Amino acid sequence: MILETFPVGPLQCNCTLLGDEEAGEAIVIDPGDEVSRIYRRMADLGLKLKQILVTHAHIDHVGGALKLKRLTGAPILLNENDLPLLKMMEQQAAWLGVPTPEVTGPDASLVDGMKVGLDRYPARVLYTPGHTQGSVCLHFEPLKMVIAGDTLFAGSIGRTDLPGGNSRQIIHSIETRLMVLPDATRVLPGHGPATTIGAERNSNPFLTLR
Ligand SMILES: [Zn+2]
């Protein structure tokens, strides 16, 4: 198994490459930027891209998705409730003072319970709105791992002051969809270091100080 997470772009979004060397296949999660680097790494490893999974439509997570699709032919999957954010790409780019990336609608919506990923390393989509209305997490149960996007961070949670954000909803999503996972589940957030469900359950101030 190949599991590599590398921060990309000015906001250092954690882009994750998960590959199965035997099957020669890979998925990429949140290719926000630095697509040539991601593409070169897959080419070096001899992996064919099967899916581009996007946890939510903020520019730092989705900005490179179309470029990667054009290079590989892989479909883009993204929850349809974030379509309004995709249409606001120019505004999102203006917030950061970066050029507007070309984006496109998803090939399919990432809906709750959907099975995605690789045959040997499958994931289930957990619909976790709050940071945005289309935010999802990806639970790779056999790997005891969850890709959390900007919903849950080590010691923090995603901001809810941008369009589509809702602070009560994000807490509800975390408590009902993530905190029900086993303590040992590794959490790979959309920014910053990895953590575990157990560590966040015990010490995340946004979850314990309510
Ligand atoms: Zn975000």
Side-chain angles (χ1 to χ4, degrees):
M1 183 182 77
I2 289 151
L3 178 64
E4 295 180 2
T5 293
F6 30 101
V8 295
L11 293 187
Q12 296 284 280
C13 163
N14 283 330
C15 172
T16 296
L17 170 67
L18 174 66
D20 177 345
E21 313 95 305
E22 277 173 41
E25 287 184 330
I27 55 169
V28 166
I29 301 151
D30 286 352
D33 203 348
E34 302 185 43
V35 169
S36 350
R37 176 181 164 200
I38 301 164
Y39 180 72
R40 204 173 330 117
R41 184 65 184 140
M42 278 190 302
D44 286 348
L45 293 165
L47 300 173
K48 182 175 165 3
L49 189 60
K50 194 178 163 194
Q51 285 168 347
I52 300 164
L53 304 170
V54 181
T55 60
H56 65 291
H58 278 153
I59 185 171
D60 52 324
H61 295 257
V62 75
L66 179 56
K67 194 172 170 192
L68 189 57
K69 176 181 172 169
R70 284 185 176 142
L71 286 169
T72 60
I76 299 171
L77 286 83
L78 162 73
N79 184 275
E80 64 186 358
N81 292 337
D82 267 359
L83 288 179
L85 283 175
L86 267 188
K87 298 200 177 93
M88 288 173 55
M89 207 43 62
E90 209 162 317
Q91 198 176 330
Q92 291 198 48
W95 293 337
L96 297 183
V98 299
T100 309
E102 202 184 333
V103 292
T104 183
D107 295 280
S109 180
L110 280 180
V111 296
D112 193 58
M114 183 175 177
K115 188 183 165 196
V116 294
L118 301 171
D119 292 339
R120 280 210 295 169
Y121 311 120
R124 288 269 173 208
V125 175
L126 304 176
Y127 178 53
T128 52
H131 175 62
T132 68
Q133 287 308 298
S135 283
V136 300
C137 296
L138 302 171
H139 184 212
F140 293 83
E141 192 170 10
L143 299 179
K144 298 183 172 60
M145 170 177 95
V146 66
I147 303 276
D150 286 359
T151 296
L152 180 65
F153 299 124
S156 188
I157 63 172
R159 61 190 287 186
T160 52
D161 58 329
L162 295 170
N166 181 316
S167 56
R168 261 184 302 177
Q169 200 181 25
I170 195 172
I171 295 285
H172 182 76
S173 289
I174 294 170
E175 303 235 308
T176 59
R177 307 310 305 276
L178 297 180
M179 289 303 131
V180 296
L181 302 177
D183 276 351
T185 309
R186 192 153 44 121
V187 179
L188 300 185
H191 300 269
T195 179
T196 64
I197 291 293
E200 297 314 304
R201 195 197 311 282
N202 291 332
S203 66
N204 189 310
F206 293 87
L207 305 178
T208 55
L209 292 182
R210 281 191 317 130

